Amino acid sequence: MAQSKLFTPVTIPTKSGAGLQLRNRVVLPPMCQYVIDKRDGVPTTWQLTHLGSMAHGGFSLVITEATAVAAEGRISDRDAGLWNEEQVQAWKPITDYVRSHGSAVGVQLAHAGAKASTYGWLEELEAEGKVGSIPDVDGGWETFSSSSTDIFGLKPATEMSTEQIAASVQDWANAAQRADAAGFDLIQIHAAHGYLIHQFLSPLSNKRTDEYGGSFENRTRYLREVVHAVAEVWPAEKALGIRLSGEDWVQDGWGIDDTVRLAKEMYHLGVRAFDLSSAGIGSYAGPTGPGYQVPLAQAVKQALPEDAFVTAVGVITDATQAEHIVVTGQADGVSIGRAALGNPQWPNHAAQQLGAEKSYPAQYWRARW
Ligand SMILES: Cc1cc2nc3c(=O)[nH]c(=O)nc-3n(C[C@H](O)[C@H](O)[C@H](O)COP(=O)(O)O)c2cc1C
C-alpha cells in the first residue's frame, strides 16, 4: 500500500534550527472546556485526562483550549489561564504527561476582548437561560476592546487607551514566559474568531482613528506588537504559531487577501505554524460543509515559503478526506476538532484505514487493531 502522507512526520521550524518534530500531521485544535468551577483559571484533572486521551489517540500536536493571558481576557469565568504562577505549576504535569505519550503540546494563548465575561457554551447553562454576557450581579467584569461596539450583541466593551494596549502586549509576553516554564513546546496565538486580536484586525469592529485603527498597517499593529513581544521571550528551540480567521465572511469585513498579506508579515516575525479558521465577527454569510475552510489554508500555504506548517480545519471528519487535503498540497496538516471529542482515537483509526503506523499506548495493544 502507498505510504500515507497524513502519517508522515513533519517538522515545524524553530529559530534554533532544530525544529519541533511531529509524528504525523493530525493536530488537536484548541477547544474550550468551560470546566474550571473554581473560576481561578487553574487547569484541573479534566485537562489532564482530556488532553492526555488525545495523546493516547495518536495526535501529533495537542493544543490546549483558549488560555487567557489576563483574567479579564477569559471568554467565561470557567476558562483556563496563564496569568499566574499557580497556573504554571498546574499545567506542568499536563504538558509532561502529553509529551510522554509522543505528542508535542501547544498552548493557545488568548484574550477575548469584547467577547469576554460571558457564560461560555455549556448545555446546562443554556438550559438555565445563561447565555451571553454575565451580569455584574453574577460575577461579570468590565471588558476591553479596540473600540466600543455592539456588533457582538454583548455588553459594550471599553475602548483601550494606548497605555492599556501597551500593558496588554506585556501580558502576552508574560504569559509566553509562563508557557515556557509550564513546559509547552509551541504557542498558538489566538488571532481568530472575533476575539481581541481579531477585534483590532477587522474593520467591522475596529473603529479607532489613532495609530491602531484605519489602515491595514494600523489595524494589524497590535498583533505585530504581540507577536514581536512573544517572539522575544519565547525560547529559540520552541515553535511559534498563530490561528487566523481567514475571512470574516461579512461584506466589507476582513478577507483572504488581508490574511495572506498578514501571514507573510507573521512569517517574517518568526511564526511558522498557521492554522486557518474563519469568522467570529458580524452575521455569518459564508459557506458550510466538509472542508469549507480548506481554501483559506491553501491560499496562505501558496503565499508562504515551503517550510511553513499550514493546517486546515473545519468539518474534516474522515481519514480519506484528510489524506486528500495533504496529498493535494492544499495544506501540510489538518486539525480535527469535534470529531476528536467523539473519538479521541481518531488519528489511530485514520492510520489503520490508511495503512499507516498507529501510535496507541502499549496498554491498549490487546484491542487487536
Ligand atoms: C467545544 C469547542 C470549543 C472550542 N474552543 C475553541 C477555542 O478555545 N479556541 C479556538 O480557536 N477554537 C475553538 N473551537 C473551534 C475549534 O478549534 C475548531 O476550529 C472548530 O470546531 C472546527 O473544527 P471541527 O469541524 O473539526 O470541529 C472550539 C470548538 C468546539 C467544538
Side-chain angles (χ1 to χ4, degrees):
M1 183 177 288
Q3 167 90 39
S4 157
K5 183 149 188 212
L6 191 64
F7 286 90
T8 307
V10 65
T11 300
I12 303 176
T14 56
K15 250 192 282 179
S16 72
L20 178 63
Q21 325 288 332
L22 304 184
R23 60 185 169 188
N24 62 48
R25 291 141 187 270
V26 189
V27 175
L28 182 82
M31 283 185 280
C32 283
Q33 300 297 298
Y34 307 120
V35 77
I36 302 173
D37 289 334
K38 281 167 84 179
R39 294 166 167 77
D40 58 4
V42 178
T44 67
T45 47
W46 173 261
Q47 274 80 14
L48 174 67
T49 313
H50 164 64
L51 299 173
S53 72
M54 300 299 176
H56 299 166
F59 283 91
S60 63
L61 170 63
V62 166
I63 303 181
T64 69
E65 65 197 87
T67 298
V69 298
E72 94 265 357
R74 287 170 297 165
I75 300 167
S76 87
D77 49 1
R78 291 177 171 79
D79 287 16
L82 257 178
W83 68 83
N84 66 36
E85 185 56 28
E86 190 185 356
Q87 294 156 352
V88 172
Q89 294 309 320
W91 278 116
K92 187 73 174 63
I94 299 172
T95 63
D96 285 345
Y97 185 82
V98 169
R99 209 177 5 260
S100 75
H101 283 276
S103 301
V105 54
V107 59
Q108 184 184 51
L109 291 184
H111 192 303
K115 290 172 80 171
S117 187
T118 72
Y119 282 108
W121 299 86
L122 276 183
E123 202 175 12
E124 71 216 43
L125 292 179
E126 258 187 55
E128 290 172 35
K130 291 186 169 177
V131 286
S133 295
I134 307 175
D136 292 351
V137 288
D138 205 11
W141 61 89
E142 185 179 6
T143 58
F144 298 89
S145 184
S146 54
S147 308
S148 189
T149 160
D150 58 8
I151 196 165
F152 299 108
L154 298 167
K155 72 175 175 191
T158 304
E159 176 167 318
M160 292 162 81
S161 65
T162 47
E163 290 75 22
Q164 285 171 323
I165 291 174
S168 172
V169 169
Q170 189 57 47
D171 285 342
W172 286 86
N174 294 344
Q177 280 180 311
R178 293 189 196 101
D180 175 36
F184 287 103
D185 302 309
L186 170 143
I187 286 176
Q188 182 186 74
I189 291 173
H190 196 353
H193 300 170
Y195 296 112
L196 182 59
I197 292 176
H198 191 183
Q199 288 160 26
F200 274 89
L201 297 179
S202 175
L204 300 173
S205 48
N206 185 342
K207 304 294 179 193
R208 299 177 76 95
T209 53
D210 64 1
E211 70 268 35
Y212 291 95
S215 65
F216 173 91
E217 183 177 2
N218 284 355
R219 281 181 284 113
T220 55
R221 188 180 309 280
Y222 173 66
L223 172 58
R224 275 198 310 278
E225 290 179 353
V226 165
V227 172
H228 184 73
V230 167
E232 254 190 0
V233 299
W234 191 233
E237 68 277 13
K238 298 196 170 190
L240 189 54
I242 195 165
R243 187 168 232 203
L244 294 165
S245 275
E247 273 276 350
D248 282 338
W249 306 118
V250 178
Q251 182 83 34
D252 301 324
W254 178 265
I256 187 63
D257 293 344
D258 298 312
T259 303
V260 165
R261 183 173 165 190
L262 180 66
K264 288 185 198 163
E265 294 187 6
M266 294 293 104
Y267 183 92
H268 185 67
L269 290 175
V271 177
R272 291 293 180 273
F274 295 80
D275 195 42
L276 268 295
S277 188
S278 70
I281 300 180
S283 298
Y284 187 83
T288 52
Y292 73 103
Q293 292 174 148
V294 175
L296 304 174
Q298 186 172 16
V300 168
K301 181 168 166 51
Q302 279 168 356
L304 291 180
E306 270 286 293
D307 68 346
F309 179 64
V310 181
T311 45
V313 63
V315 201
I316 301 168
T317 55
D318 179 73
T320 51
Q321 177 197 11
E323 179 75 12
H324 181 259
I325 289 166
V326 295
V327 164
T328 52
Q330 297 173 85
D332 302 296
V334 293
S335 296
I336 305 292
R338 286 162 295 180
L341 298 181
N343 177 13
Q345 290 277 333
W346 193 97
N348 283 332
H349 284 286
Q352 168 94 353
Q353 201 178 323
L354 298 169
E357 198 181 326
K358 301 177 282 289
S359 32
Y360 53 87
Q363 292 82 348
Y364 287 4
W365 74 275
R366 290 180 71 187
R368 302 257 188 252
W369 291 81

